[in-house]
Amino acid sequence: MRTSPSLPGPVPVRLVNGNNMCSGRVEVLHNSTWGSVCGDHWGTEEANVVCRLLDCGEATSATGNTTFGQGTGPVWLSDVRCNGTEAALDQCPAKPYGINTCHHSQGASVTCSGPVPVRLVNGNNMCSGRVEVLHNSTWGSVCGDHWGTEEATVVCRLLNCGEATSATGNASFGQGTGPVWLSDVRCNGTEAALDQCPAKPYGNNNCRHSQDAGLTCSGPVPVRLVNGNNMCSGRVEVLHNSTWGSVCGDHWGTEEANVVCRLLNCGEATSATGNATFGQGTGPVWLSDVRCEGSEAALDQCPAKPYGNNNCSHSQDAGVTCSGPVPVRVVNGNNMCSGRVEVLHNSTWGSVCGDHWGTEEATVVCRLLNCGEATSATENAVFGQGTGPVWLSDVRCNGTEPALDQCPAKPYGNKDCGHSQDTGVTCSGPVPVRLVNGNNMCSGRVEVFHNSTWGSVCGDHWGTEEASVVCRLLNCGEATSATGNAAFGQGTGPVWLSDVRCNGAEAALDQCPAKPYGNNNCSHSQDASVTCSGKRISPLDGSESW
């Protein structure tokens, strides 16, 4: 059994017997004794308080049935009722300590999204402060010796805090007291986390805390898309009272979807649905009867019913599909993962010139289309000549960008290329597994592709060996957790696989013994999930990053 370290301050809380430092049975310290919390009114709001206090992100599940085993000490708290914004559990109404009839079979548990490997401290709000990263279970500073907008942008995006408005390297938010972990950090701004940026080895520097890096972000982005096919599609969720919740689709249309797409820098709305197209949410339904004209800067500028005041169910959850960033497609190929590369601009599909087209650029396209790795990149109209404009030329990617419009290139349409130079790609093929509804590209519910349909994997025998196969296939390092209780939400398609039994060395899940596809009695409440370490192996040179 492992425990996370207790924190100083009111009602020390810890998680025990979990899969990692951010999951487990909830215990609180009272009268110098650790005891359980009764799950009689335990939900997302209460779990969020615990996760935030432990620097573990957001709650992804909250259970009251001893998911992580029964405690042996007293049951200290029961009937805990938080709104989710409290700084500690003792700020939430509850029965007096030890006054309850609960048994340990009702012990409260949480699974949090995971330790966010970066935090901001001593700032003016949740989106400003001194930058600290987590390494060896210890928070430490980042040296400001090469700290600029690109590096700050990575942090702001990871914390869902919008864009970087300032980046300082002179301890503007006070000096830290722990180690200085990172120095000479050099990002291009597109990385998913600071440890994907080149830097000196952890702790290998002569920086002082007078050089601690700090930043200010534009503010928390109050909307996100989850469970979609890419970064610009999914179920719409908004942030209120520190908790993410759905939007009811009772009056959801193009105008409302356009506000979301524009805010997320995802172009225009191509579809707006109100019937849980991207799966049902599990938190509150915050907004309903939203009525935008389409020009608003955020959803909360549109008339709507008060937050949480509705009778909507999650079967009405709103979803959107946006046009961008830089939608890309492959046409005239041998399958869905090969063909001439075309991008959408000004509502028109056009070609990409092959004047600097290579593996790095093709890799971006293949990854965006969930088509694995690039096996070839051509520049002489191998898949036929296009008939529309040639939109892009002199595209120069490093291969890590999430979309082509993040790669340097000449302005749209500014070229002297002919269609005889149209680019093409051949990818290794649709990756037969994906992670959805996670906190990043290397965590989420496991889904496999069969009969042209994505479906879940049953968690009835889901463990580290099976999760390791998924993480390795997705270039996501090692498995840090493997759960079988829909930790990242329930799927909506078929449950394809069950009783999967890997030894951990297989190249894909379909190499592991399992019941035949679709032959099981599993429900989506048992959907398998994984969290991977995030270390990725470059398909270009075999180097490791993140």
Side-chain angles (χ1 to χ4, degrees):
M1 180 175 74
R2 68 174 309 284
T3 66
S4 58
S6 61
L7 297 179
V11 187
V13 63
R14 68 181 183 182
L15 301 179
V16 299
N17 211 25
N19 302 313
N20 53 49
M21 64 183 290
C22 288
S23 66
R25 182 177 66 253
V26 182
E27 293 190 350
V28 295
L29 186 65
H30 179 66
N31 282 349
S32 302
T33 302
W34 287 101
S36 302
V37 176
C38 182
D40 55 358
H41 189 268
W42 189 258
T44 304
E45 292 81 1
E46 292 72 30
N48 270 331
V49 173
V50 172
C51 292
R52 186 172 57 248
L53 181 61
L54 294 176
D55 261 316
C56 279
E58 300 176 2
T60 58
S61 77
T63 59
N65 58 354
T66 321
T67 302
F68 293 99
Q70 297 188 22
T72 56
V75 179
W76 280 134
L77 292 178
S78 70
D79 199 28
V80 184
R81 296 178 180 266
C82 306
N83 63 28
T85 63
E86 295 85 355
L89 279 183
D90 66 350
Q91 295 183 16
C92 305
K95 290 182 178 178
Y97 282 96
I99 305 298
N100 60 75
T101 57
C102 280
H103 302 283
H104 282 298
S105 60
Q106 298 168 269
S109 300
V110 303
T111 300
C112 308
S113 57
V116 178
V118 64
R119 67 180 182 183
L120 301 177
V121 297
N122 208 27
N124 303 312
N125 52 48
M126 64 185 288
C127 289
S128 66
R130 180 175 67 251
V131 182
E132 294 191 350
V133 295
L134 186 65
H135 179 66
N136 282 350
S137 302
T138 302
W139 289 99
S141 302
V142 176
C143 181
D145 56 356
H146 189 267
W147 190 256
T149 303
E150 293 81 0
E151 292 72 30
T153 294
V154 173
V155 174
C156 291
R157 185 173 58 247
L158 178 64
L159 296 177
N160 200 45
C161 277
E163 301 177 0
T165 58
S166 76
T168 59
N170 57 354
S172 55
F173 292 98
Q175 296 187 23
T177 56
V180 179
W181 279 134
L182 292 179
S183 71
D184 198 27
V185 183
R186 296 178 180 266
C187 306
N188 62 29
T190 65
E191 296 84 357
L194 276 185
D195 58 5
Q196 290 186 19
C197 304
K200 289 182 178 177
Y202 280 95
N204 187 358
N205 60 75
N206 57 4
C207 281
R208 291 179 287 204
H209 283 299
S210 60
Q211 299 169 266
D212 281 350
L215 57 79
T216 300
C217 309
S218 59
V221 178
V223 66
R224 68 181 182 183
L225 300 179
V226 298
N227 208 22
N229 304 310
N230 53 49
M231 62 189 293
C232 288
S233 67
R235 181 175 66 251
V236 181
E237 294 190 350
V238 294
L239 186 66
H240 179 66
N241 278 352
S242 301
T243 301
W244 288 100
S246 303
V247 176
C248 182
D250 57 357
H251 188 267
W252 189 257
T254 304
E255 293 81 1
E256 292 72 30
N258 271 331
V259 173
V260 172
C261 292
R262 186 173 56 251
L263 179 62
L264 294 176
N265 199 35
C266 279
E268 301 178 359
T270 58
S271 77
T273 59
N275 58 353
T277 302
F278 294 99
Q280 297 187 22
T282 55
V285 179
W286 280 134
L287 292 179
S288 70
D289 198 28
V290 183
R291 296 178 180 266
C292 305
E293 63 180 31
S295 60
E296 296 85 354
L299 278 183
D300 60 4
Q301 295 182 16
C302 304
K305 290 182 178 178
Y307 280 95
N309 187 358
N310 60 75
N311 58 2
C312 282
S313 69
H314 282 299
S315 62
Q316 298 168 268
D317 282 350
V320 304
T321 300
C322 309
S323 61
V326 184
V328 63
R329 67 182 184 183
V330 288
V331 297
N332 207 30
N334 303 313
N335 53 47
M336 63 183 289
C337 289
S338 66
R340 182 175 65 250
V341 180
E342 292 188 346
V343 295
L344 186 65
H345 179 66
N346 283 350
S347 302
T348 302
W349 289 99
S351 304
V352 176
C353 180
D355 54 359
H356 189 268
W357 189 257
T359 303
E360 293 82 359
E361 292 71 31
T363 294
V364 173
V365 172
C366 291
R367 185 173 58 246
L368 182 61
L369 295 176
N370 198 47
C371 278
E373 301 177 1
T375 57
S376 77
T378 58
E379 56 189 38
N380 55 354
V382 169
F383 293 99
Q385 297 187 22
T387 56
V390 178
W391 280 133
L392 291 178
S393 67
D394 198 27
V395 183
R396 295 177 181 266
C397 306
N398 63 27
T400 64
E401 297 84 355
L404 278 183
D405 66 350
Q406 294 190 17
C407 304
K410 290 183 178 177
Y412 281 96
N414 183 4
K415 43 69 197 167
D416 53 5
C417 279
H419 282 298
S420 61
Q421 297 170 268
D422 282 350
T423 60
V425 301
T426 299
C427 309
S428 58
V431 178
V433 65
R434 68 180 182 182
L435 300 179
V436 297
N437 209 22
N439 308 303
N440 52 48
M441 63 194 297
C442 289
S443 66
R445 181 175 66 252
V446 181
E447 293 190 349
V448 294
F449 197 51
H450 179 67
N451 279 352
S452 302
T453 302
W454 288 100
S456 303
V457 176
C458 182
D460 56 358
H461 189 267
W462 190 257
T464 303
E465 293 80 2
E466 292 73 30
S468 290
V469 174
V470 173
C471 292
R472 186 172 57 250
L473 179 62
L474 294 177
N475 239 359
C476 278
E478 300 177 359
T480 58
S481 77
T483 58
N485 58 353
F488 290 98
Q490 297 187 22
T492 56
V495 179
W496 279 136
L497 292 178
S498 70
D499 199 28
V500 183
R501 295 178 181 266
C502 306
N503 62 28
E506 296 85 355
L509 279 184
D510 60 4
Q511 294 183 17
C512 305
K515 290 183 179 178
Y517 280 95
N519 186 357
N520 60 75
N521 58 3
C522 281
S523 69
H524 282 299
S525 63
Q526 299 168 267
D527 282 351
S529 301
V530 305
T531 299
C532 309
S533 63
K535 182 176 287 186
R536 301 176 66 81
I537 310 300
S538 170
L540 305 181
D541 58 12
S543 63
E544 295 182 348
S545 63
W546 189 10

